[in-house]
Amino acid sequence: QVRLVQSGGGVVQPGGSLTLSCTISGLTYSPYAVGWFRQSPGKEREFAATIRWKYETTYYGKFVNNRFIISKDVAKNTVYLQMNDLDPEASAIYYCALDVRDNPGGLAVAARGYDYWGQGTQVTVSA
């Protein structure tokens, strides 16, 4: 079965940086894309970034404002999210997710467009 295991969460001071990792196991095919979402208490899951598996095409959520970089290492079956200039509003549980196939509009920005999810990792930004 496909599994996504996350690491790299933790506590960081405002203005700091953090890099999250998502390692995929059980792949018997090349997925269409892998994305990152975040969710804080009382709020909907929010799209952060996505990247095509076969190509380098990327897309970011509006709140990112050029502070995040999504990347991948196909040989390691791992996707990364580099987060810079973090502020307290970035405190959330971050999830990686795998999109098996193409969607009608291409890269998905909605959670329902993804098929498998990581366990989530807590990111806390505090002074």
Side-chain angles (χ1 to χ4, degrees):
Q1 74 282 20
V2 176
R3 296 191 67 194
L4 285 68
V5 178
Q6 301 177 220
S7 62
V11 180
V12 63
Q13 293 186 332
S17 299
L18 203 63
T19 299
L20 307 180
S21 298
C22 176
T23 299
I24 306 162
S25 62
L27 276 177
T28 59
Y29 54 89
S30 295
Y32 179 71
V34 178
W36 289 92
F37 292 77
R38 72 179 187 184
Q39 188 166 25
S40 57
K43 300 184 68 176
E44 295 183 3
R45 193 162 295 187
E46 187 176 23
F47 170 74
T50 189
I51 186 169
R52 289 282 302 275
W53 192 255
K54 187 175 182 179
Y55 307 103
E56 298 302 317
T57 310
T58 60
Y59 190 73
Y60 294 92
K62 292 182 178 180
F63 77 88
V64 170
N65 293 324
N66 298 310
R67 297 174 296 173
F68 292 1
I69 301 173
I70 187 170
S71 62
K72 65 180 185 289
D73 186 334
V74 174
K76 296 180 179 180
N77 281 353
T78 300
V79 178
Y80 306 93
L81 184 67
Q82 179 184 328
M83 306 186 296
N84 303 309
D85 194 26
L86 290 166
D87 59 18
E89 288 74 28
S91 296
I93 300 174
Y94 285 74
Y95 300 89
C96 61
L98 184 146
D99 182 3
V100 171
R101 69 186 70 84
D102 191 8
N103 300 283
L107 288 170
V109 300
R112 60 183 172 86
Y114 293 83
D115 305 286
Y116 300 96
W117 292 82
Q119 82 277 17
T121 186
Q122 178 71 51
V123 173
T124 302
V125 183
S126 63

